[in-house]
Amino acid sequence: MHYFNSGSSFSFAMNSLPSHSLRPQLTLSIEEDNLIRKLLISHDPDGRWLDSEQLLCAMENIMCYVTTSELQVSDIYRDALTIDNESNIEVFGSIEPLGHTICRLSHELLCKCSGEGDLHTRTMNIFDLLRNYRWDAKVVLVLAAFATSYGEFWLIMQLYPQNPLAVLVAMLKQLPSNMNALNPRFKALSLVVRTMVDVTKCIIKFEGLPIKHLRLDDEKISTTKSKIFIAAYWITRSTLICSSHIKDLIAFKPEQVHNVAAYRYSNSTTIATWELSSLVYRLSSMCSRLKQHVDACHQLTETKMHQKIKEVLQESHADNQEVLRILFALKNDFPLKNCSTQAKLGVSELKDKIVILLVSKPEILPLEELFLLIHQTYDHPDNKKLEGSYEIVWIPISISDTWTDDEEISFEFLSSSLPWYSVRKPKLLDSAVIQFIKEELNFKDNPILVVLDSHGMVTNLNALDMVVVWGARGYPFSVLKETELWEEEKWTLKLMIEEINPLFTKYAEEGKTICLYGSSNLDWIREFNAKMQEIISKGLQVELVYVGEKNPNEKVRNILGIIHEEMHSSLLSFVEIQFFWFRLESMRKSIFQLGEIADTDHILKEVSALLDDDENNNGWAVFGKGSSPNIVRLQGNKLMECLKLFPEWTENVAKLGFIGALRYAIEPPHVLNKPCSHSTVTSYEEGSAEETVVCEKCNRLMKKFVVYE
């Protein structure tokens, strides 16, 4: 076997190489110099892309089962989920299916082992076959072709002699029935393959570095590239050698391997073992040096990548493609997937769209909060009008540097269930991107929704609370839009319960009087319901809605059942109660995030009163009608005192309505009878002229004037 001499070396400039090649000043042997030139001549990538890491994983799994067969160890199985994920590997941008490419390579490896050129010539022939692929794809395809042929051989031997079909195939192929004598050779082969895999992982890691995005011109990069080329050559050449050994082993006559001891110490075994060992030594040394160079390049890109991301996100662009490429398309060309269809996607799918980055831990949110977020972004009625205008991309980030099994399971489940897009392999996100998300986008433990406009500019660092409150109505989800929505909003019952339950949303739109009440004190709930039913029996139409208490627990769930059984009043489900409080909390966070806005002070006060009230056990109630800002909130004791006096103020219901009469009963008459000095203009709605209008600022009756335009 011929080996290149690495003893002598000299400097050279590769100025005659094609435009896609290196132009470094390197110290290489003459043989390595010539080899690199020939390899680069045969290298002509045309943009086709293969998920090298996924295919390598499949190849490793094959070799794992082969090793299990060799060592006769049972019950060693790899994760079935991983195997399932490897079932749809394809080459994007290639007319030829992946299976055909692997089949052609298998033919080159096995069927031409005994002749048709020396080893170097046959190695270069394989590079000619793979000229259109990237370097990582070349070596992984070669390894996959080898593993496929090797795996087919061991599949037959594993089924033999229990399976009649395997027996017949083995007979036609003249395979030896007893493989025990061949185990040392197979172990040596496995060691070579494992070493080739280690070298291949270094190549994949280097090919995944964002070098083209950073436009680095560094000697470290050039030196590493030259070592990548040579490593790719030796992996391919070593695969040919391993294939020849397999063919030799398969060709042994049965009588040659029956005498196990004699065969193991034969000259042919010694020579074969020496040849394979020398390959392991060469590849191991190559892997060690290459790993050092790749790690150095990785460190070099890390130091520059963080600043590059900041610069790109602060600049104005014609579209969002450069920003998205720098965030996602660093490891591969199809970094995203459609969670609903599992289709692999490139960042070009997001061109000219508003992109919302959902950054979270792999479990995202508690399920009830996740359901509400899905409803507000996917099932929201307004979403049909915006279809295709924006996309949500989920970016799961592990709480530590290494993903746990639970995080993997959570990601696989959710990324197959959500209606959004997702990063396909979040573990492959560049560490500089993760660092940027944590430091610049302020991601800690809680999920955030970062909004990028169609030009890639950040318009909202966290639109999560905005989306929970308004859903698709918040489009384009910028801070400016969020401010506008709060400036237009009033504290109404509709705001409190909108999108929580379709029936109550309908009641709010129809202007029905609704009473939201909460407590975990069952005695008070029974007393309150009895009094309200007494009032309702007088002909008043009031819908009672139990909303439990903040952080609803099992006690609230039990109370729900009792209310349904004993009182038959309208109620929300337990999940909808969780929605209600999550939505209120989101309102408060959204207002706080925007800072002080005068028009939302009243809303903030009312929301905080419900969220921070320490007397919820004594009960409370809020009475309101649809979009009317005329809302009355009362605590338990004061509420019951007022309801008990209902016969005394019932005469005001006809004049002021139930809510107006209730307000009149709890406020001093001389205050309510004196109009306030504030003013507001509202658009005319049918029946609004007869309504009592209460000032939001001082809770006094307002004098009405009609203005004609």
Side-chain angles (χ1 to χ4, degrees):
M1 180 184 299
H2 174 69
Y3 291 97
F4 290 119
N5 177 19
S6 58
S8 59
S9 61
F10 72 104
S11 297
F12 73 99
M14 301 171 67
N15 295 323
S16 60
L17 296 179
S19 59
H20 59 260
S21 63
L22 297 172
R23 299 180 185 277
Q25 293 291 328
L26 299 173
T27 302
L28 297 170
S29 67
I30 297 175
E31 291 88 348
E32 288 173 333
D33 176 12
N34 292 330
L35 175 61
I36 290 175
R37 291 177 182 274
K38 291 177 181 179
L39 288 171
L40 289 174
I41 290 172
S42 70
H43 182 59
D44 186 24
D46 61 0
R48 66 184 66 188
W49 180 82
L50 168 70
D51 191 334
S52 301
E53 194 161 35
Q54 189 180 17
L55 185 57
L56 183 65
C57 182
M59 177 265 172
E60 285 188 280
N61 281 339
I62 291 173
M63 295 307 298
C64 174
Y65 283 110
V66 167
T67 305
T68 301
S69 302
E70 293 167 10
L71 300 179
Q72 298 180 341
V73 178
S74 60
D75 300 324
I76 300 179
Y77 296 99
R78 295 294 292 268
D79 192 340
L81 181 62
T82 304
I83 297 173
D84 182 64
N85 286 341
E86 293 156 5
S87 61
N88 59 342
I89 307 172
E90 56 183 309
V91 181
F92 294 88
S94 173
I95 299 176
E96 184 180 55
L98 176 63
H100 290 183
T101 304
I102 291 177
C103 184
R104 286 199 298 128
L105 288 171
S106 297
H107 177 77
E108 288 291 326
L109 294 176
L110 280 177
C111 297
K112 297 185 179 182
C113 283
S114 58
E116 297 191 29
D118 60 74
L119 197 56
H120 171 71
T121 301
R122 290 172 47 230
T123 302
M124 295 308 298
N125 288 341
I126 291 178
F127 277 99
D128 284 334
L129 285 175
L130 298 173
R131 65 170 47 249
N132 299 130
Y133 289 89
R134 299 189 330 185
W135 293 100
D136 56 328
K138 292 179 197 287
V139 292
V140 173
L141 282 168
V142 171
L143 288 177
F146 169 78
T148 301
S149 301
Y150 198 29
E152 288 174 353
F153 163 72
W154 272 107
L155 183 61
I156 296 173
M157 299 311 300
Q158 205 171 26
L159 295 175
Y160 180 92
Q162 290 84 3
N163 187 296
L165 178 60
V167 172
L168 291 172
V169 173
M171 180 185 68
L172 292 176
K173 287 179 172 284
Q174 292 291 292
L175 301 178
S177 58
N178 183 359
M179 306 294 288
N180 291 333
L182 306 177
N183 274 347
R185 294 272 294 271
F186 286 126
K187 289 179 182 178
L189 278 170
S190 295
L191 186 57
V192 174
V193 173
R194 281 199 295 270
T195 311
M196 287 193 292
V197 168
D198 290 340
V199 179
T200 301
K201 288 179 178 178
C202 290
I203 297 175
I204 292 175
K205 182 177 180 180
F206 180 80
E207 288 289 291
L209 294 178
I211 295 172
K212 62 182 179 181
H213 297 285
L214 300 177
R215 298 182 177 87
L216 297 175
D217 184 17
D218 190 271
E219 186 178 348
K220 290 180 183 177
I221 302 296
S222 300
T223 303
T224 306
K225 282 186 176 182
S226 69
K227 293 187 177 297
I228 292 290
F229 304 148
I230 295 173
Y233 172 85
W234 274 102
I235 289 174
T236 305
R237 181 174 176 131
S238 299
T239 306
L240 281 167
I241 295 172
C242 290
S243 297
S244 67
H245 278 273
I246 294 173
K247 192 166 184 178
D248 289 344
L249 291 172
I250 294 173
F252 273 110
K253 302 293 183 184
E255 60 272 14
Q256 289 180 279
V257 295
H258 278 318
N259 190 337
V260 176
Y263 175 77
R264 284 186 176 178
Y265 298 104
S266 64
N267 287 336
S268 61
T269 300
T270 303
I271 294 172
T273 303
W274 177 87
E275 184 179 35
L276 292 174
S277 298
S278 66
L279 269 182
V280 172
Y281 176 78
R282 172 183 284 275
L283 291 169
S284 296
S285 301
M286 188 178 295
C287 181
S288 178
R289 293 191 298 271
L290 183 59
K291 186 177 185 304
Q292 292 177 1
H293 283 277
V294 171
D295 288 344
C297 291
H298 180 264
Q299 185 63 39
L300 177 66
T301 57
E302 284 290 291
T303 57
K304 297 187 177 183
M305 187 65 181
H306 188 271
Q307 186 59 36
K308 175 67 175 179
I309 298 172
K310 287 180 64 175
E311 292 173 358
V312 168
L313 283 171
Q314 291 171 357
E315 297 170 355
S316 179
H317 307 278
D319 54 40
N320 58 13
Q321 292 300 281
E322 183 176 0
V323 172
L324 296 177
R325 277 195 294 267
I326 207 78
L327 288 175
F328 298 127
L330 300 176
K331 301 290 184 181
N332 58 61
D333 296 337
F334 294 86
L336 309 176
K337 70 175 178 178
N338 185 321
C339 295
S340 301
T341 65
Q342 297 299 294
K344 297 175 183 177
L345 304 170
V347 296
S348 59
E349 295 287 333
L350 302 174
K351 188 175 181 180
D352 299 326
K353 295 182 180 181
I354 288 174
V355 178
I356 303 177
L357 308 177
L358 170 55
V359 186
S360 75
K361 292 184 287 188
E363 63 272 16
I364 305 184
L365 285 163
L367 280 180
E368 65 279 359
E369 297 178 11
L370 180 59
F371 290 154
L372 181 58
L373 184 61
I374 291 173
H375 171 76
Q376 294 293 74
T377 56
Y378 187 71
D379 298 325
H380 195 282
D382 292 340
N383 201 54
K384 292 182 179 179
K385 306 173 189 175
L386 302 171
E387 194 168 354
S389 300
Y390 75 95
E391 296 290 350
I392 295 177
V393 179
W394 179 32
I395 308 176
I397 294 179
S398 173
I399 57 176
S400 61
D401 294 334
T402 304
W403 279 59
T404 65
D405 291 341
D406 288 342
E407 288 176 331
E408 291 269 15
I409 293 171
S410 178
F411 168 72
E412 291 297 339
F413 172 74
L414 289 173
S415 66
S416 301
S417 310
L418 296 172
W420 309 314
Y421 288 177
S422 168
V423 174
R424 194 161 55 83
K425 292 190 174 183
K427 291 194 296 185
L428 296 185
L429 279 174
D430 193 91
S431 56
V433 173
I434 294 176
Q435 182 186 4
F436 176 83
I437 289 173
K438 290 180 177 180
E439 295 180 3
E440 302 298 331
L441 301 184
N442 200 33
F443 170 67
K444 305 300 180 187
D445 290 328
N446 297 320
I448 58 175
L449 287 179
V450 181
V451 182
L452 306 178
D453 66 14
S454 58
H455 300 287
M457 295 288 289
V458 176
T459 59
N460 198 334
L461 282 171
N462 190 5
L464 178 61
D465 299 309
M466 175 194 191
V467 170
V468 169
V469 176
W470 283 292
R473 283 174 54 200
Y475 181 86
F477 312 107
S478 61
V479 172
L480 180 61
K481 180 64 176 180
E482 190 171 10
T483 304
E484 290 175 358
L485 287 169
W486 277 123
E487 288 176 344
E488 296 168 359
E489 197 61 75
K490 305 295 181 185
W491 179 240
T492 65
L493 202 76
K494 183 180 179 182
L495 175 65
M496 296 176 68
I497 65 174
E498 191 172 26
E499 306 302 337
I500 298 299
N501 180 291
L503 179 60
F504 291 119
T505 301
K506 180 183 176 184
Y507 288 165
E509 291 173 349
E510 292 174 350
K512 289 187 176 182
T513 301
I514 298 176
C515 169
L516 304 179
Y517 69 98
S519 175
S520 59
N521 185 330
L522 186 57
D523 292 335
W524 182 89
I525 291 172
R526 284 181 170 136
E527 182 184 6
F528 171 74
N529 268 270
K531 194 62 188 177
M532 285 302 301
Q533 291 301 328
E534 181 183 328
I535 294 174
I536 291 171
S537 67
K538 302 296 183 181
L540 295 174
Q541 291 188 347
V542 180
E543 295 291 338
L544 300 179
V545 184
Y546 176 67
V547 295
E549 60 183 357
K550 185 182 178 182
N551 302 318
N553 51 27
E554 198 61 31
K555 186 175 182 180
V556 171
R557 191 191 295 272
N558 294 334
I559 290 174
L560 272 175
I562 295 171
I563 292 174
H564 179 70
E565 183 179 346
E566 295 182 7
M567 306 161 204
H568 305 287
S569 61
S570 301
L571 49 86
L572 302 175
S573 68
F574 183 74
V575 171
E576 288 170 335
I577 288 176
Q578 292 175 305
F579 285 178
F580 173 81
W581 291 102
F582 177 45
R583 181 179 164 84
L584 284 184
E585 187 63 55
S586 294
M587 289 182 193
R588 179 160 67 174
K589 289 179 181 177
S590 177
I591 296 172
F592 275 146
Q593 186 170 285
L594 294 177
E596 293 185 6
I597 302 174
D599 291 342
T600 61
D601 284 350
H602 178 64
I603 298 177
L604 180 59
K605 175 184 175 183
E606 292 296 326
V607 170
S608 297
L610 293 172
L611 291 170
D612 299 336
D613 190 3
D614 295 329
E615 299 180 3
N616 278 356
N617 273 342
N618 294 326
W620 56 270
V622 173
F623 295 86
K625 291 178 67 175
S627 300
S628 171
N630 188 12
I631 290 182
V632 175
R633 174 174 52 83
L634 289 171
Q635 291 305 120
N637 294 334
K638 189 174 182 179
L639 171 62
M640 295 309 300
E641 290 174 7
C642 186
L643 294 180
K644 288 174 182 177
L645 295 175
F646 175 72
E648 298 180 14
W649 50 270
T650 184
E651 59 188 29
N652 292 325
V653 174
K655 176 184 176 183
L656 303 175
F658 178 77
I659 297 175
L662 179 59
R663 185 182 296 280
Y664 189 92
I666 62 177
E667 293 286 351
H670 69 277
V671 173
L672 282 174
N673 289 335
K674 182 180 178 182
C676 71
S677 59
H678 304 118
S679 63
T680 184
V681 178
T682 59
S683 59
Y684 175 80
E685 294 180 7
E686 189 69 30
S688 62
E690 290 76 27
E691 276 193 3
T692 301
V693 179
V694 179
C695 178
E696 291 184 39
K697 296 181 175 132
C698 64
N699 289 328
R700 295 176 181 174
L701 293 174
M702 300 188 78
K703 190 173 181 179
K704 284 179 247 176
F705 297 90
V706 179
V707 179
Y708 297 94
E709 294 183 340

